Amino acid sequence: MITFDQLDTELQALENPNTIKIFRNHGCPDSLDLYGLKIGDLKKIIRREKLTKNHELAVELIESNNSDLIYLGLLAVNPNKVTTEQIEKWNVAFRETWSQLTFGLASIVSKRDDALLFAKTWIESDYDLTKSMGWQIYSEHINNLPEAEALLQRAKETLQSESNRTRYSMNGFIITCGIYKDDLHEKAIEAAKSVGKVHVNLGKTSCKVPDAISYIEKARNRVN
């Protein structure tokens, strides 16, 4: 079975300066080491080494100081074997880093039975990336979310006063309501109109914030 050091050596040998530059521009801080591997490459390693069956190694990767190793661990770890204490520990570790890591952590939490408890707590956080994770989790649970309408109203009323990445995830929540909740479609369109253009600092990139109204309508047209 492959070890942490062997994986680290393999990833280091695949270091990609161009991708490193892209990831730094997207917000990966200098405080984290970075080899610049693409997600597809990491997934190949997971399949080859059956890392989803090596929970202890996945945790060791997550608790390293290299963004690629951390994300590899987040992709491989078993959400139901992770403790609440570990999740909160990782939240503290990642909440001032960058969105790739918090996106990965939120994806893990979303697969757990207690996901909405984290979302409820995290949207009240003082940390932008933690709040963003809370809204991401809510979006991923849109089909079994009794409080969806209340959250949509909150997004409508407060999005523009929220912090940077939180605005992005709240905009995503409005879009999710508009696409997947027939009973909230019109209210999501109304919320998007009320909010107006959403500005988010996405780093030194050409990425743009999706326009909620056009995104909802295009997605609905594809479904119908």
Side-chain angles (χ1 to χ4, degrees), residues 65-95:
N65 193 54
N66 180 288
S67 183
D68 299 277
L69 295 176
I70 292 169
Y71 198 68
L72 178 63
L74 291 170
L75 290 172
V77 78
N78 185 329
N80 294 315
K81 288 186 177 180
V82 175
T83 67
T84 298
E85 290 75 19
Q86 285 175 315
I87 290 172
E88 289 298 356
K89 177 182 178 181
W90 298 339
N91 168 38
V92 171
F94 303 155
R95 68 192 181 190

Side-chain angles (χ1 to χ4, degrees), residues 11-201:
L11 266 63
Q12 187 173 16
L14 297 172
E15 185 174 301
N16 187 327
N18 290 332
T19 311
I20 288 175
K21 182 178 180 181
I22 291 171
F23 286 174
R24 294 295 187 202
N25 286 341
H26 275 79
C28 183
D30 292 335
S31 59
L32 287 175
D33 296 329
L34 183 63
Y35 298 144
L37 271 72
K38 296 178 181 178
I39 293 174
D41 294 327
L42 296 178
K43 289 182 176 180
K44 288 178 183 177
I45 294 172
I46 290 173
R47 290 193 295 270
R48 187 194 75 208
E49 298 297 335
K50 298 181 174 59
L51 289 183
T52 55
K53 297 182 179 180
N54 193 341
H55 179 74
E56 291 73 18
L57 177 55
V59 170
E60 189 177 2
L61 293 167
I62 292 169
E63 296 189 348
S64 71
N65 193 54
N66 180 288
S67 183
D68 299 277
L69 295 176
I70 292 169
Y71 198 68
L72 178 63
L74 291 170
L75 290 172
V77 78
N78 185 329
N80 294 315
K81 288 186 177 180
V82 175
T83 67
T84 298
E85 290 75 19
Q86 285 175 315
I87 290 172
E88 289 298 356
K89 177 182 178 181
W90 298 339
N91 168 38
V92 171
F94 303 155
R95 68 192 181 190
E96 294 184 87
T97 57
W98 72 306
S99 58
Q100 187 187 68
L101 301 188
T102 49
F103 179 89
L105 179 56
S107 295
I108 289 171
V109 174
S110 290
K111 296 179 177 68
R112 293 167 55 92
D113 291 339
D114 57 358
L116 296 180
L117 296 178
F118 284 96
K120 184 177 181 180
T121 300
W122 284 356
I123 64 167
E124 306 300 340
S125 172
D126 292 331
Y127 290 88
D128 181 38
L129 289 176
T130 301
K131 286 189 290 184
S132 178
M133 284 195 292
W135 285 97
Q136 178 187 333
I137 294 166
Y138 276 135
S139 291
E140 294 186 19
H141 282 262
I142 194 65
N143 290 322
N144 60 337
L145 191 62
E147 61 267 48
E149 184 171 358
L151 288 165
L152 178 61
Q153 183 65 26
R154 175 170 174 169
K156 175 183 176 181
E157 293 174 357
T158 66
L159 185 151
Q160 292 291 12
S161 63
E162 277 290 358
S163 48
N164 192 56
R165 275 286 172 176
T166 303
R167 294 197 298 275
Y168 190 93
S169 291
M170 292 175 87
N171 187 62
F173 182 80
I174 293 173
I175 290 171
T176 303
C177 287
I179 296 173
Y180 298 107
K181 297 285 284 184
D182 289 341
D183 57 324
L184 292 180
H185 172 72
E186 293 300 329
K187 289 185 177 180
I189 295 294
E190 178 188 335
K193 289 179 179 177
S194 177
V195 166
K197 188 172 181 60
V198 178
H199 297 278
V200 177
N201 180 0

